[in-house]
Amino acid sequence: MKKILVANRGEIALRVMRTARRMGIKTVAVYSEVDRRSPHVLFADEAVCIGPPPSSQSYLMGQKIIEVALSLGVDGIHPGYGFLSENAAFAQAVTDAGIIFIGPSPYSIEVMGSKLAAKEAVKKFNIPMVPGTEGAVSDVEEAIEVGRTVGYPLLVKASAGGGGKGMRIVENEAELASQMERAISEATSAFGDGSVFIEKYVGSPRHIEIQVLADQHGNTVHLFERECSVQRRHQKVVEEAPSAILTPEIRMAMGADAVKVAQSCDYTGAGTVEFLVDENLNYYFLEMNTRLQVEHPVSELITGVDLVEQQIRVARGEKLSFSQSDLSIKGHALELRVYAEDPLNDFLPSIGNLSTYRRPIGEGIRVDDGFEQGMDIPIYYDPMIAKLIAFGKDRTEAIARLLRAIADYEIEGVATTLPFGRFVLEHEAFLSGKFDTHFVQNYFTKEALTAGEADEDAVAAALALQVYLKEKGGCMYRRWAERGGGGK
Ligand code: MV4
């Protein structure tokens, strides 16, 4: 593979191109009119404008992207995440054009894109699943029967849904018929597929996912878990690896099951198997994401494996150069997603100009971003500015480094979720590891952020007064120097 086109933008396009360049592979960027001066465009060896800002007219124009690739002699297309990354028809069209799709086969994408097809595929592998229906349910009588068997509350889920879309909680039998009808009509209009199924509702679960990697020669490994329970409205906020709650035994069992899930759909490349974990550490297979995920860096940091490099190697037909027993967890990693959203204003996107933008630096700190100072954050795409990633020898060190980096990050011109991230990382429930997917809902209020600010103001005032009084005493500098001249 000599030349790769990255069918994406922002941090992930840049991140993929960096690894490609390191491997001696030329890179091609595609971009919309609003992204013409973006870092991914400037970084690439070649760049082609593919249309106006809306993604439907640019980053989702599969055929146009393939035409660009053919005209430039590209031999591989990396889709990143979002956009065309889990579009089986696009993966097929790329392959049909004689170009390597750097991702799984259209078949794997299709099977795992349907929750019902996924359940069917993994059935013979004995993977734990939440009690519920095996197939689609359209009949209320059947649903009532299921409800009586598994008990309430229930969750009605759309087969074509995922990431929380098309789910409805049903508290009791009286609500079942109406909730099912709503779920079916919502799924029909949202996905063009009204199939729904029913599961027992797990009340306070953790969301733990396993990173897998498979070559085209039948070798599949897992790269341990990522704990992704801290999320807000199905948007992940903080991800970490390893999870504070898994025992080595459960970790190995989940890893082995994730490998089986991958094998059930002949998976190749990098993928993620999502599980729910309940209070008793029972785990249940939820779904498989057939792409490189936003939070992949935490797995890279604890294993030392560059997942994009592995994706490229697998796509060009190489065998994995390591086996499961070569992999181990070294240290702890956390990722905070930094969004241009205002946590004081219901997380509304805060678009505007990055008038000040200075990344934190320091030991164990990695910033994956796609912006530079002075750039506008466009309204057309996901408002994520950066992923702030910290690594340490253990969880305590990684959290301390991430907090330091949050404090050192200088962003002006737009509101960001940095203060929200600090709130999470300093929270007792997070520090103790006792949290579930309801963390934000249970603990976050915007008053918690402003209260923190008030404290900070008070601390700042107290410090200023201290400094002033010492200065008056004429020994301010000496005392400061005695304390170590500024500290770390
Ligand atoms: C569930 C569940 C409770 N019980 N299934 C949400 C996203 C989609 N992947 C599946 N999801 C859930 N499925 C049963 N049977 C709770 C969720 C869920 C959730 C899962 C992971 C991360 C965050 C979540 C937030 C709300 C609900």
Side-chain angles (χ1 to χ4, degrees), residues 155 157 164 167 199-200 202 207 231 234 274 276 287 437:
L155 203 52
K157 292 184 173 180
M167 299 195 323
E199 284 179 356
K200 170 98 183 149
V202 182
H207 171 134
Q231 51 82 46
H234 302 292
E274 286 185 22
L276 280 186
E287 51 192 76
T437 53

Side-chain angles (χ1 to χ4, degrees), residues 317-391:
E318 292 177 30
K319 283 188 178 161
L320 290 182
S321 64
F322 47 84
S323 61
Q324 192 65 58
S325 56
D326 297 322
L327 293 166
S328 64
I329 299 177
K330 303 168 202 79
H332 198 98
L334 294 146
E335 174 181 284
L336 172 67
R337 298 191 190 189
V338 183
Y339 285 94
E341 290 176 350
D342 187 355
L344 293 178
N345 192 9
D346 207 22
F347 293 85
L348 279 178
S350 172
I351 46 142
N353 185 271
L354 282 177
S355 52
T356 302
Y357 186 71
R358 285 195 206 97
R359 295 170 192 90
I361 48 170
E363 201 175 340
I365 295 301
R366 163 173 165 183
V367 182
D368 282 17
D369 62 8
F371 288 99
E372 293 293 343
Q373 182 161 295
M375 284 177 60
D376 289 324
I377 310 247
I379 56 167
Y380 301 96
Y381 317 108
D382 182 86
M384 191 173 77
I385 300 171
K387 304 186 304 203
L388 182 52
I389 308 145
F391 178 79

Side-chain angles (χ1 to χ4, degrees), residues 202-222:
V202 182
S204 302
R206 296 213 177 207
H207 171 134
I208 297 182
E209 57 189 32
I210 307 280
Q211 177 69 52
V212 296
L213 186 61
D215 67 20
Q216 300 176 33
H217 306 274
N219 305 300
T220 307
V221 298
H222 69 83

